[in-house]
Amino acid sequence: MLLKTITLIACLLFCLNSSVLAQQSCTTPLNANGECIVVTKCSSLLALLQKSRRTQQETQFLRNSQCGSEGRNPKVCCEIQAQPTGQGRPSTCTTAEGSAGTCKDIYQCPALLTLFNAPKPLSPNVVTRLRQSSCQGPARISVCCGNPTSRNPANVDALLPKDSECGRSGDQDRIFGGNETAIDQYPWMALVEYRTRRNTLSLSCAASLISKRYLVTAGHCATGDIVSQVGTPESVRLGEWDKTTGQDCVKVSGGDNDCNDEPVSIRIEEVIPHPQYLPTTATGQKNDIALLRLASDAPVTDFIKPICLPKRDITVGLSSRAINLIVAGWGTTETNRPSNRKLHLAVPFVTLAECQSHYQTERLKAELWNKQICAGGEVGKDSCRGDSGGPLVYFNENKFDLIGVVSFGPSPCGLANVAGVYSNVYGYLDWIRGEIKP
Ligand code: ARG
């Protein structure tokens, strides 16, 4: 039964390709010596094939490994040393990030395999990282692979807000187009406070509260240039509306004053960039996402509330401009200065295919993938510098879901036919759930 299933899955992957002439020795997609054998006999690739959720790269790796077929069974180029030998058991080690890991064949470490598999030549960052990960192990290329966080998803659910406790925003009586929000609108929004070398606080990025202890922001707001050029992320400011004043008050209909509470600053205990986010100056940054863990619980008030994580990928089957998403932040406006007040804007969804066509020119080159989502492309309506890390949200079933994280876009912002690019939160749910601790 299991074998049948495997053959079936394998067929879905390989049978579309016409079969190639079988041959004994071969070169793997990673340029190693291999043997062309039936996939069921190649433990490393079989493990990849049996994974329930493969990344695009892993699927591509499997496809590139095909070297023929035997009846209905695809044959793959299996690295010779990757075969189980009986001896050379995996041993424990410390990963490049300093966590507990197992020294094993790189083929059995999807996270590092993805890096290894990146288009050649590998960037110096990737090379360094792979070098730091190498270990004396069972295979020709052995790496110290982080142990999967063995956490019961049920426990994680207890750490995230219930559906009835997230994504509730204040009244939405305003028109979009880069307008001020109400003071209680999007209460999950936070400003990241960076400690500069001159010992001041700089507000250069936004983030979204997803639980009492965690916020989601951009990878480039957590690590890389921002740290050398701005400072270290020290705290997050929650419940803010107008950055320049403590308590904010606005006139509401009837002439009354409506005020919020003083914003609160909470220290960041841990900055967790996505392990595959590689800080480079190049645009098109993949995995531009990070978690911020707070040193103490965020309060829940009318002005501070978590947003919901998405339950499904809302972009599946959507055509461009089929829905509007909302982006909000304190970033640069058409006046070329950051906004003091929280602003919001509706931006139309744009398919990845259409969006990729926006990023083909010399000046704006980026290779997009399905863990990114595009929105915007209308003149004068865009997120901009300083909005990074902030939320792209969708109102669904009476609550707001965090769909995207502001990553990059055209410069200057708001060009016609160049959508902004956001990290697709749905693609990072497993990572987020794996990182969240009590
Ligand atoms: N990376 C920018 C930041 O640091 C955000 C860019 C968004 N740009 C855009 N045109 N949509 O804030």
Side-chain angles (χ1 to χ4, degrees):
M1 176 60 200
L2 184 65
L3 213 82
K4 254 194 190 161
T5 324
I6 293 166
T7 315
L8 201 86
I9 304 168
C11 206
L12 286 176
L13 279 166
F14 296 107
C15 291
L16 298 172
N17 295 343
S18 57
S19 75
V20 190
L21 265 185
Q23 90 198 106
Q24 237 349 82
S25 64
C26 55
T27 310
T28 71
L30 296 170
N31 269 331
N33 294 329
E35 240 182 329
C36 186
I37 55 175
V38 175
V39 67
T40 46
K41 294 201 179 125
C42 179
S43 64
S44 55
L45 292 177
L46 189 60
L48 214 51
L49 195 59
Q50 285 172 310
K51 265 185 76 173
S52 57
R53 283 196 204 168
R54 263 186 314 275
T55 65
Q56 244 179 9
Q57 273 103 330
E58 288 167 344
T59 303
Q60 196 56 48
F61 185 79
L62 282 170
R63 286 214 180 98
N64 293 345
S65 298
Q66 192 192 8
C67 55
S69 53
E70 194 175 284
R72 290 184 54 203
N73 294 323
K75 290 170 101 178
V76 289
C77 189
C78 192
E79 193 181 336
I80 291 164
Q81 284 85 350
Q83 291 304 293
T85 54
Q87 18 119 318
R89 287 277 204 78
S91 56
T92 59
C93 56
T94 307
T95 67
E97 294 84 53
S99 58
T102 309
C103 183
K104 56 181 170 183
D105 189 340
I106 191 165
Y107 290 87
Q108 281 158 7
C109 185
L112 291 170
L113 189 59
T114 308
L115 290 185
F116 200 40
N117 230 353
K120 307 294 175 301
L122 295 175
S123 73
N125 271 324
V126 172
V127 173
T128 312
R129 198 186 157 96
L130 287 171
R131 237 183 237 137
Q132 287 169 343
S133 301
S134 81
C135 56
Q136 290 284 338
R140 201 172 61 88
I141 309 175
S142 293
V143 289
C144 188
C145 192
N147 292 339
T149 28
S150 54
R151 209 167 287 125
N152 175 358
N155 294 341
V156 176
D157 281 332
L159 301 174
L160 288 165
K162 290 199 274 290
D163 273 0
S164 58
E165 296 166 349
C166 63
R168 312 290 154 154
S169 174
D171 31 290
Q172 236 189 311
D173 55 349
R174 282 152 207 271
I175 320 140
F176 301 140
N179 289 291
E180 283 179 13
T181 68
I183 55 170
D184 58 353
Q185 226 170 340
Y186 315 122
W188 42 84
M189 289 197 66
L191 283 152
V192 183
E193 300 179 311
Y194 295 83
R195 178 64 61 183
T196 70
R197 259 168 303 185
R198 282 181 290 130
N199 204 22
T200 56
L201 282 181
S202 164
L203 306 170
S204 304
C205 272
S208 310
L209 191 68
I210 57 159
S211 74
K212 286 183 163 56
R213 281 284 177 134
Y214 287 89
L215 294 98
V216 172
T217 187
H220 80 268
C221 289
T223 181
D225 285 353
I226 195 135
V227 177
S228 46
Q229 287 168 14
V230 179
T232 33
E234 181 176 274
S235 45
V236 299
R237 194 190 291 180
L238 291 160
E240 184 56 289
W241 185 69
D242 185 330
K243 291 188 299 193
T244 59
T245 50
Q247 188 187 44
D248 306 315
C249 294
V250 289
K251 285 255 181 300
V252 290
S253 47
D256 282 352
N257 251 350
D258 190 9
C259 301
N260 65 5
D261 303 332
E262 288 262 340
V264 292
S265 261
I266 304 181
R267 193 173 67 77
I268 297 169
E269 183 176 84
E270 195 184 355
V271 177
I272 312 161
H274 189 278
Q276 269 114 27
Y277 169 70
L278 300 166
T280 59
T281 43
T283 53
Q285 302 191 2
K286 294 191 167 74
N287 307 311
D288 189 7
I289 190 166
L291 286 166
L292 304 175
R293 176 178 162 86
L294 300 176
S296 58
D297 283 359
V300 177
T301 71
D302 282 349
F303 309 97
I304 303 175
K305 283 178 203 159
I307 188 167
C308 308
L309 291 170
K311 293 228 161 45
R312 56 185 188 91
D313 188 350
I314 60 150
T315 67
V316 170
L318 266 193
S319 46
S320 285
R321 289 162 287 278
I323 57 166
N324 271 337
L325 300 164
I326 297 163
V327 61
W330 291 267
T332 300
T333 70
E334 46 287 351
T335 67
N336 236 331
R337 286 202 315 267
S339 173
N340 287 337
R341 294 175 173 177
K342 192 192 286 181
L343 303 182
H344 65 169
L345 169 72
V347 278
F349 165 77
V350 172
T351 63
L352 215 51
E354 180 177 336
C355 192
Q356 182 63 74
S357 74
H358 301 167
Y359 288 90
Q360 286 318 10
T361 63
E362 191 64 55
R363 235 169 69 74
L364 281 170
K365 222 179 188 58
E367 186 199 298
L368 306 177
W369 66 336
N370 65 356
K371 289 191 178 194
Q372 285 163 323
I373 172 169
C374 294
E378 292 180 330
V379 58
K381 295 180 171 184
D382 198 0
S383 48
C384 203
R385 203 182 157 80
D387 289 321
S388 277
L392 178 75
V393 303
Y394 183 57
F395 190 69
N396 186 346
E397 290 167 2
N398 281 318
K399 57 180 178 43
F400 284 91
D401 288 338
L402 181 64
I403 300 300
V405 179
V406 179
S407 178
F408 68 93
S411 174
C413 306
L415 294 186
N417 296 313
V418 189
V421 183
Y422 300 77
S423 301
N424 187 349
V425 173
Y426 183 78
Y428 296 99
L429 287 182
D430 286 348
W431 172 68
I432 293 172
R433 295 170 66 87
E435 289 295 336
I436 287 183
K437 293 176 303 210

